[in-house]
Amino acid sequence: MAKNKFNQSWLHDHINDPYVKLAQRHGYRARAAYKLKEIDEQDHLIKPGFVVVDLGAAPGSWSQYVRERLRAEGGEQKGRIVALDVLPFEPIDGVTFIQGDFREDRVVSLLEVELGLRPGERGVDLVLSDMAPNLSGVGAADAARMEHVIELALDFAQMHLKPSGSLLVKAFHGSGYSQIVEVFKRHFVTVLPRKPKASRDKSAETFILGRTLKHVSARE
Ligand SMILES: C[S@@+](CC[C@H](N)C(=O)[O-])C[C@H]1O[C@@H](n2cnc3c(N)ncnc32)[C@H](O)[C@@H]1O
């Protein structure tokens, strides 16, 4: 009964959500596109010519948005998008998709091969991670799973971002959040918390943006 009430309230919010309507009108596969759009408009994250990795990309609204941004003035796409998810993904023109679990070394290797990068080689301008593991409802276990995928995204960024590159990850406020921010501060010159309007107030979801790697020489 309580579960049903919860579902009804979620459905009510969803149907009346302006971002759901906007996404439908614009042809985005998810309202999540507006979270990335708002952060991009504030922080100028995406530029034509960039190599962008989109982790946890399904159903694909972030990749759709990135693709628009790589096509300056609606022209040819300049740059690359490599998207990855454990779930299947309807193809998007100009987006290379890898299906697999980012926690597996084999899958990270596939991503490196697709990017044409050896381990430790830098060539990515922006790593996005909207990855969210399935929640079990057990707070500590869920926080640990979330932290784990964020750490993996951070390791990947640390290894493959260009010195001037950026990493944007989804996180959840609560246990583990401040430690994640501390780790970001060890790796990035600038660390910014972001809670776009399209991220529901009720949700503990928040985003952390790290910009410009520390301890990396510009020639590396
Ligand atoms: C909130 S959705 C992403 C929505 C997407 N940004 C969009 O705009 O369409 C989170 C995604 O993360 C994926 N995910 C979670 N853990 C993952 C993992 N370990 N490896 C790959 N994908 C993962 C899920 O399958 C899910 O599709």
Side-chain angles (χ1 to χ4, degrees):
M1 179 72 179
K3 195 173 175 200
N4 194 27
K5 254 192 201 158
F6 172 78
N7 285 343
Q8 279 176 9
S9 118
W10 181 87
L11 197 62
H12 176 270
D13 287 355
H14 189 74
I15 289 167
N16 292 295
D17 183 322
Y19 294 105
V20 170
K21 295 196 170 101
L22 269 177
Q24 282 165 351
R25 208 175 310 142
H26 196 91
Y28 287 134
R29 296 174 181 180
R31 65 190 290 293
Y34 293 97
K35 301 176 193 173
L36 179 60
K37 183 172 192 285
E38 188 180 325
I39 298 171
D40 179 41
E41 284 172 357
Q42 180 172 6
D43 294 295
H44 311 290
L45 276 189
I46 306 162
K47 296 196 175 75
F50 268 15
V51 175
V52 180
V53 172
D54 182 6
L55 301 172
S61 78
W62 280 24
S63 285
Q64 287 178 298
Y65 176 77
V66 174
R67 171 149 163 77
E68 285 172 16
R69 296 282 292 113
L70 295 187
R71 297 173 72 207
E73 323 271 312
E76 288 269 292
Q77 174 175 326
K78 292 203 180 85
R80 282 203 74 193
I81 310 162
V82 183
L84 184 148
D85 204 292
V86 72
L87 296 177
F89 185 92
E90 277 287 309
I92 300 175
D93 245 8
V95 178
T96 307
F97 177 65
I98 295 168
Q99 185 170 359
D101 188 329
F102 189 64
R103 293 170 301 180
E104 293 176 16
D105 291 344
R106 180 189 64 86
V107 173
V108 176
S109 300
L110 287 176
L111 180 56
E112 290 172 333
V113 167
E114 188 53 54
L115 289 162
L117 297 174
R118 290 186 302 273
E121 196 178 356
R122 302 187 178 282
V124 178
D125 295 283
L126 175 64
V127 176
L128 302 170
S129 171
D130 199 17
M131 281 189 287
N134 287 334
L135 299 183
S136 66
V138 180
D142 287 340
R145 277 199 202 116
M146 193 70 196
E147 260 180 72
H148 181 51
V149 291
I150 293 173
E151 274 165 18
L152 293 176
L154 191 59
D155 286 349
F156 182 85
Q158 179 66 19
M159 193 179 286
H160 292 300
L161 273 183
K162 296 176 184 171
S164 59
S166 302
L167 167 66
L168 177 72
V169 298
K170 189 210 310 263
F172 288 108
H173 258 298
S175 59
Y177 176 79
S178 43
Q179 285 97 307
I180 295 167
V181 171
E182 283 316 306
V183 177
F184 262 64
K185 285 184 177 165
R186 284 208 293 278
H187 291 286
F188 290 97
V189 173
T190 310
V191 177
L192 303 160
R194 291 287 179 252
K195 174 82 178 170
K197 286 193 217 71
S199 178
R200 294 186 167 104
D201 288 342
K202 285 183 202 165
S203 156
E205 171 188 85
T206 187
F207 293 86
I208 305 170
L209 173 61
R211 310 204 77 166
T212 313
L213 286 171
K214 279 182 177 172
H215 320 301
V216 178
S217 75
R219 270 182 296 130
E220 206 186 310

